[in-house]
Amino acid sequence: MQQLHTPHVVVVMGVAGTGKTTIGPLLAARLGVPYAEGDDFHPPANIAKMTAGTPLTDEDRWPWLDAIGDWAHGRAGLGGVVSSSALKRSYRDRLRAAAPGVVFVHLTGSRELIEDRMSHREGHFMPTALLDSQFATLQPLEADETGVAVDVAGTPEEITARAVNALKELSEPVR
């Protein structure tokens, strides 16, 4: 499988259960850049809230998004892949403010498929009970946002291949 090289930082986004933690490292490997797990940027208080089934507020998310934005800024021109739900436009705007060249890969799929996948994963703090709040919060990418939507049906390898092909078709990111 041919490895591509990109100087862009790609944010793999989507609701919980779409496969950000699975697809992110595969995509990073295909692009020849490092991967950072977005959940690792959460402060302990955020993880405790989500584990308890309490949705995060915007105020909870700002420090987390700032930490991801700092990482993305540090990778500008070098490339990288980081996962982040980035559900709202305002969250993506905050990431772009820190790292203007970021490109988004929005992992999408039916609620039924995502809930089924979430119910089978082990060792993750996000309960399926929060899926409704994730879908209610989700604001898909808008036309002026540099990014692509990728369907999560199929195997991780198929999803990654779709993401790579979609990224190839993107024009130069807006600066």
Side-chain angles (χ1 to χ4, degrees), residues 21-37:
T21 298
T22 300
I23 303 305
L26 293 173
L27 183 59
R30 285 286 306 274
L31 298 177
V33 297
Y35 171 72
E37 171 54 52

Side-chain angles (χ1 to χ4, degrees), residues 41-103:
F41 293 92
H42 273 298
N46 284 9
I47 293 174
K49 279 183 92 168
M50 290 184 285
T51 301
T54 305
L56 298 180
T57 66
D58 286 352
E59 291 71 30
D60 295 326
R61 286 187 180 93
W62 298 140
W64 172 64
L65 290 165
D66 290 343
I68 292 171
D70 288 346
W71 184 87
H73 178 79
R75 296 296 312 164
L78 302 171
V81 175
V82 62
S83 59
S84 170
S85 53
L87 298 177
K88 288 185 181 179
R89 170 72 187 243
S90 62
Y91 304 164
R92 298 187 298 272
D93 288 346
R94 194 162 183 125
L95 292 171
R96 273 190 296 273
V102 297
V103 174

Side-chain angles (χ1 to χ4, degrees), residues 74-126:
R75 296 296 312 164
L78 302 171
V81 175
V82 62
S83 59
S84 170
S85 53
L87 298 177
K88 288 185 181 179
R89 170 72 187 243
S90 62
Y91 304 164
R92 298 187 298 272
D93 288 346
R94 194 162 183 125
L95 292 171
R96 273 190 296 273
V102 297
V103 174
F104 294 91
V105 170
H106 181 187
L107 299 179
T108 64
S110 72
R111 189 193 184 294
E112 295 76 25
L113 172 65
I114 294 166
E115 183 175 33
D116 180 64
R117 288 185 179 172
M118 283 181 78
S119 69
H120 290 97
R121 67 184 184 180
E122 295 178 13
H124 196 278
F125 56 80
M126 178 70 81

